[in-house]
Amino acid sequence: MNYTTGLHQLSIHISKIALTGAKFALLLPIIMFLLPGCSKKQEKPRPKPPVPVKVSTAVQKDVPVQVKAIGNVEAYNTVSIKAQVNGQIARVHFREGQEVKKGDLLITIDPRPFETALKQAQANLLKDQAQARNADEQVRRYGGLVKDGIVTREQYDQLKTSADAFAATLASDQAAVESAKIQLAYCFIRSPINGRTGNLMVQQGNLVKANDVPVLVTINQINPVYVTFSVPENDLLEIKKYMAGGRLKVAAAIPNDVRPPETGTISFLDNMVDSTTGTIKLKGTFVNAERRLWPGQFVNVIVVLTTRPDSVVVPTQAIQTGQQGPFVFVVKADKSVELRQVTVGTALNGETVIEKGVQSGETVVIDGQLRLMPGVKIEIKQPEQGNKVKTQPAG
């Protein structure tokens, strides 16, 4: 019913019943209620405005297959230096934290008592050598006399036994001299490896005992260096598969370091899985030429198993999760969206591989999904300042 017709019919009805002014006043609210109702029926529903979103394009690229873990840096070789003789530390030849090479003199223990012991051993050797020579000469002389019957066989045997005893004494003296030389050499403690010295625990002037604790100093070899980490046993089959085909590359990224990660190779796979944690231990060897990796440091480890060529990837933020699994909103040519279920693969650096559901070149929504439904029209928003995701117009 339109406005004119309703008003005309109402006027006829009022005239027929010959209402008074008071009765008409009672009907006035009813008239005012009917008039807006009649006008509303003439209004058309307003179309919903498009939903502002950000979009990105699915691309095809080579994607590395990786295993990630938290690793701990270990020294390639660690030596704890202890005294091997008793004595007083006469001099320290290095600074704490200094780089040393194999054979460098580190500590000198007072050598004078050991030099005296060596001289005494050498003197005993000289004395016994003279006595041994005299005994050998008597055996040679009496050997001819016993044949001529001038001396008895018993006298000759006594001289021969004495000569053999002096020969044994000489061997003992020579061993004593060698032992004294070794003890004297222990007074000069040298580095057995190339590495970096740690904290010196016993200072110059202190008395030390052989093999006593604490150690004098610890030397760590950090060039090369190990990185130890553990991975879930579910990854063991893949790791063994690719290790059989050659050396696996491994990268160690230092937290808060903007420089590229250090690279190395897997050099150790443990012979058993830890039943308490369900993980297995691995080690990577790194050249560490710039000394960026430090023993005891925690790093982010990435093992590159292989590379999957021509994989379709989208920004990870495009993937939503519903009751039927992961899905994305794909933008169609008419700037409406389509909900599409997808099968996702590995995720890397903010991108996720789409195994099934999206083709390369299709446009997906990466921001504003909460207001979307299938068929809803969208409007492309400009990317915010500093946004690293590349957006483009739909359609």
Side-chain angles (χ1 to χ4, degrees):
M1 180 175 63
N2 56 37
Y3 176 83
T4 306
T5 305
L7 185 59
H8 177 70
Q9 293 178 352
L10 184 61
S11 301
I12 295 173
H13 181 71
I14 294 172
S15 61
K16 286 182 178 181
I17 60 175
L19 294 175
T20 61
K23 291 181 178 180
F24 182 76
L26 294 174
L27 292 176
L28 185 61
I30 300 175
I31 297 172
M32 297 303 295
F33 174 76
L34 291 174
L35 292 178
C38 296
S39 62
K40 282 185 179 179
K41 290 185 179 180
Q42 292 181 328
E43 296 181 2
K44 294 182 179 179
R46 295 179 181 179
K48 293 182 178 180
V51 177
V53 297
K54 293 180 183 178
V55 299
S56 182
T57 304
V59 297
Q60 199 170 34
K61 61 192 296 188
D62 296 343
V63 177
V65 179
Q66 300 177 342
V67 175
K68 296 184 178 181
I70 302 298
N72 184 250
V73 181
E74 294 182 0
Y76 190 80
N77 198 359
T78 299
V79 177
S80 298
I81 303 297
K82 290 185 178 183
Q84 293 180 277
V85 293
N86 300 334
Q88 184 182 43
I89 296 180
R91 186 177 178 187
V92 177
H93 302 272
F94 70 95
R95 299 184 311 277
E96 294 175 317
Q98 177 182 334
E99 295 281 345
V100 295
K101 296 186 178 298
K102 183 178 180 179
D104 285 354
L105 183 60
L106 302 176
I107 296 172
T108 298
I109 297 175
D110 187 2
R112 290 175 298 177
F114 301 94
E115 291 171 344
T116 301
L118 175 60
K119 291 178 181 178
Q120 183 177 358
Q122 290 172 334
N124 291 335
L125 176 60
L126 292 174
K127 181 189 68 172
D128 292 337
Q129 283 176 338
Q131 292 178 343
R133 285 195 299 269
N134 180 57
D136 289 340
E137 183 63 25
Q138 287 184 339
V139 168
R140 185 187 62 79
R141 187 182 314 118
Y142 275 76
L145 295 177
V146 75
K147 292 180 181 179
D148 297 335
I150 298 174
V151 296
T152 64
R153 187 72 185 181
E154 182 181 0
Q155 290 176 318
Y156 174 78
D157 289 341
Q158 289 177 349
L159 291 173
K160 183 69 169 62
T161 301
S162 179
D164 291 341
F166 276 117
T169 301
L170 284 179
S172 177
D173 290 342
Q174 288 173 344
V177 170
E178 292 301 321
S179 177
K181 287 181 178 179
I182 292 173
Q183 296 295 307
L184 179 59
Y186 286 159
C187 293
F188 305 95
I189 302 176
R190 300 181 180 275
S191 176
I193 61 172
N194 296 334
R196 187 181 181 90
T197 59
N199 185 34
L200 181 63
M201 304 303 295
V202 181
Q203 301 293 331
Q204 179 175 332
N206 284 274
L207 293 174
V208 293
K209 294 182 179 180
N211 297 315
D212 197 11
V213 290
V215 299
L216 302 181
V217 67
T218 299
I219 301 176
N220 284 331
Q221 184 178 355
I222 56 178
N223 183 14
V225 73
Y226 287 128
V227 173
T228 302
F229 59 99
S230 297
V231 299
E233 60 180 313
N234 294 337
D235 296 325
L236 178 58
L237 184 61
E238 289 292 308
I239 291 175
K240 289 172 62 179
K241 170 185 173 182
Y242 291 108
M243 283 186 69
R247 286 195 167 187
L248 278 182
K249 298 292 184 181
V250 58
I254 302 171
N256 303 322
D257 192 339
V258 297
R259 292 176 292 177
E262 291 286 313
T263 58
T265 56
I266 299 296
S267 56
F268 169 76
L269 175 65
D270 205 353
N271 58 3
M272 66 177 295
V273 175
D274 188 339
S275 59
T276 59
T277 61
T279 60
I280 187 166
K281 182 184 294 185
L282 294 94
K283 280 186 180 182
T285 302
F286 295 77
V287 176
N288 199 30
E290 298 181 1
R291 306 293 201 280
R292 292 176 59 199
L293 301 178
W294 216 248
Q297 185 180 30
F298 286 96
V299 292
N300 298 317
V301 178
I302 303 173
V303 181
V304 181
L305 299 179
T306 186
T307 299
R308 294 183 51 182
D310 301 329
S311 299
V312 177
V313 299
V314 299
T316 302
Q317 63 202 82
I319 300 172
Q320 305 294 302
T321 303
Q323 293 182 350
Q324 298 180 356
F327 67 90
V328 297
F329 283 106
V330 178
V331 180
K332 297 191 295 185
D334 61 353
K335 289 190 177 182
S336 65
V337 294
E338 172 190 358
L339 187 150
R340 195 177 297 176
Q341 303 294 145
V342 294
T343 302
V344 299
T346 58
L348 178 66
N349 298 329
E351 294 180 327
T352 299
V353 175
I354 302 298
E355 305 282 358
K356 183 180 178 182
V358 176
Q359 300 296 322
S360 176
E362 290 190 301
T363 302
V364 296
V365 177
I366 61 173
D367 185 41
Q369 295 98 321
L370 294 178
R371 299 177 59 188
L372 294 182
M373 292 181 63
V376 170
K377 297 285 187 176
I378 57 102
E379 178 186 4
I380 308 300
K381 288 196 303 183
Q382 293 296 327
E384 297 178 2
Q385 188 70 23
N387 191 342
K388 296 182 180 180
V389 178
K390 183 179 179 180
T391 61
Q392 67 172 37

